Amino acid sequence: MTLAKKHNFKDKVVVITGAGGVLCAYFAKEIAKTGAKVALLDINLESAQKFADEINAQGYIAKAYKTNVLELDSIKQTRDAIAADFGTCDILINGAGGNNPKATTDNEFHELDLPPTTKSFFDLDKSGIEFVFNLNYLGTLLPTQVFAKDMVGKKAANIINISSMNAYTPLTKIPAYSGAKAAISNFTQWLAVHFSHVGIRCNAIAPGFLVSNQNRALLFDEQGNPTARAHKILTNTPMGRFGEAKELMGGILFLMDEEYASFINGVVLPIDGGFSAYSGV
Ligand code: NAD
């Protein structure tokens, strides 16, 4: 029995943005096993479609929708299509997000003698910073505006946002992503309060450092030894290892499930092997 089969979301409509990506595709596949009807939204339709097909092939219910979380018209069109296919949204997972190299410094610290080719804080590109803030913050706020309208007054409706370790203490090199994820934690609390009279709970998870096929090569050398950055992460993770996508699933299902979490509203749940609790000393 998988973890998901312990939860029953039969006939609930679960809308997941960024579901063509690594984490949210995994969430979609597991949530579909609970009997939910899962809508996989992504700007990359091909990727979302591939995962929806996999879910359908296993006999569960899912459909992919090309959606740009930064365009209200696109989100509204998807909302109408989902309403016609499955019914209106019960649970929204705002997963679309990410960083951009134009908003990333080359070095952890500014120094007096940096080579002129170094991309320092002073070289960060305004368009890259806007991209990161828009994708993470507006890309959570706009889908919430569209889908939460249908969730008002529904039984057991809730929203889950994806924050990050950056929200607690910024990581070096990525000031825009850190600020945008701090804004997501803040917005999660704001929504929890704002919708508390109309039955929509809102919570977030803050994943720690995970290994995926996408970042494996950055974290480990060919012999499987941690790279310098990976070593730093592991040294600062009390449990001394990376997490895996499947270890986020318990937190997601727990927060989604009214039987377990009916009075949990406005929390950001770290799933991080203790990283956010550790000062490093
Ligand atoms: P990912 O890059 O694999 O997936 C992100 C998805 O969002 C992609 O499929 C992409 O096409 C989609 N997307 C991008 N712009 C979009 C837009 N405008 N409209 C609709 N879809 C759009 O990322 P991931 O690692 O699966 O991360 C998912 C979420 O978790 C993100 O919010 C990320 O910031 C957060 N997160 C990830 C980690 C991690 O270790 N992977 C850690 C902390 C937080």
Side-chain angles (χ1 to χ4, degrees), residues 139-157:
T140 294
L141 188 147
L142 297 179
T144 303
Q145 274 188 316
V146 173
F147 289 105
K149 213 171 198 173
D150 294 325
M151 292 157 72
V152 168
K154 265 194 174 185
K155 220 172 158 316

Side-chain angles (χ1 to χ4, degrees), residues 162-213:
I162 315 293
S163 185
S164 164
M165 283 303 106
N166 296 300
Y168 300 86
T169 308
L171 297 190
T172 56
K173 299 186 177 186
I174 49 176
Y177 186 63
S178 298
K181 287 300 189 186
I184 289 298
S185 291
N186 187 281
F187 182 52
T188 300
Q189 293 177 311
W190 188 89
L191 282 173
V193 173
H194 190 68
F195 286 139
S196 57
H197 293 188
V198 295
I200 308 174
R201 295 182 297 109
C202 183
N203 296 293
I205 61 162
F209 295 88
L210 310 173
V211 184
S212 68
N213 287 335

Side-chain angles (χ1 to χ4, degrees), residues 18 20-23 42-43 67-69 95 97-98 135 162-163 177 181 207:
V22 180
L23 294 184
D42 206 290
I43 200 164
T67 312
N68 183 349
V69 293
L135 176 58
I162 315 293
S163 185
Y177 186 63
K181 287 300 189 186

Side-chain angles (χ1 to χ4, degrees), residues 60-189:
Y60 302 114
I61 306 168
K63 195 162 175 186
Y65 300 86
K66 183 174 174 70
T67 312
N68 183 349
V69 293
L70 298 176
E71 298 287 341
L72 264 181
D73 284 347
S74 166
I75 307 167
K76 283 179 181 166
Q77 271 177 23
T78 296
R79 179 256 162 227
D80 292 348
I82 296 170
D85 292 335
F86 292 155
T88 56
C89 177
D90 293 289
I91 296 170
L92 171 65
I93 300 180
N94 282 308
N99 190 31
N100 185 288
K102 286 186 186 169
T104 305
T105 63
D106 283 347
N107 285 27
E108 294 188 347
F109 304 99
H110 197 63
E111 306 287 357
L112 292 175
D113 54 355
L114 285 180
T117 50
T118 308
K119 189 186 1 142
S120 79
F121 168 71
F122 303 109
D123 305 309
L124 292 185
D125 189 293
K126 179 170 171 263
S127 70
I129 295 162
E130 279 170 347
F131 174 90
V132 173
F133 267 92
N134 286 346
L135 176 58
N136 291 280
Y137 188 72
L138 266 187
T140 294
L141 188 147
L142 297 179
T144 303
Q145 274 188 316
V146 173
F147 289 105
K149 213 171 198 173
D150 294 325
M151 292 157 72
V152 168
K154 265 194 174 185
K155 220 172 158 316
N158 67 87
I159 300 166
I160 298 179
N161 296 330
I162 315 293
S163 185
S164 164
M165 283 303 106
N166 296 300
Y168 300 86
T169 308
L171 297 190
T172 56
K173 299 186 177 186
I174 49 176
Y177 186 63
S178 298
K181 287 300 189 186
I184 289 298
S185 291
N186 187 281
F187 182 52
T188 300
Q189 293 177 311

Side-chain angles (χ1 to χ4, degrees), residues 45 76 93 248 257 278:
L45 179 62
K76 283 179 181 166
I93 300 180
L248 303 179
D257 196 326
Y278 186 42

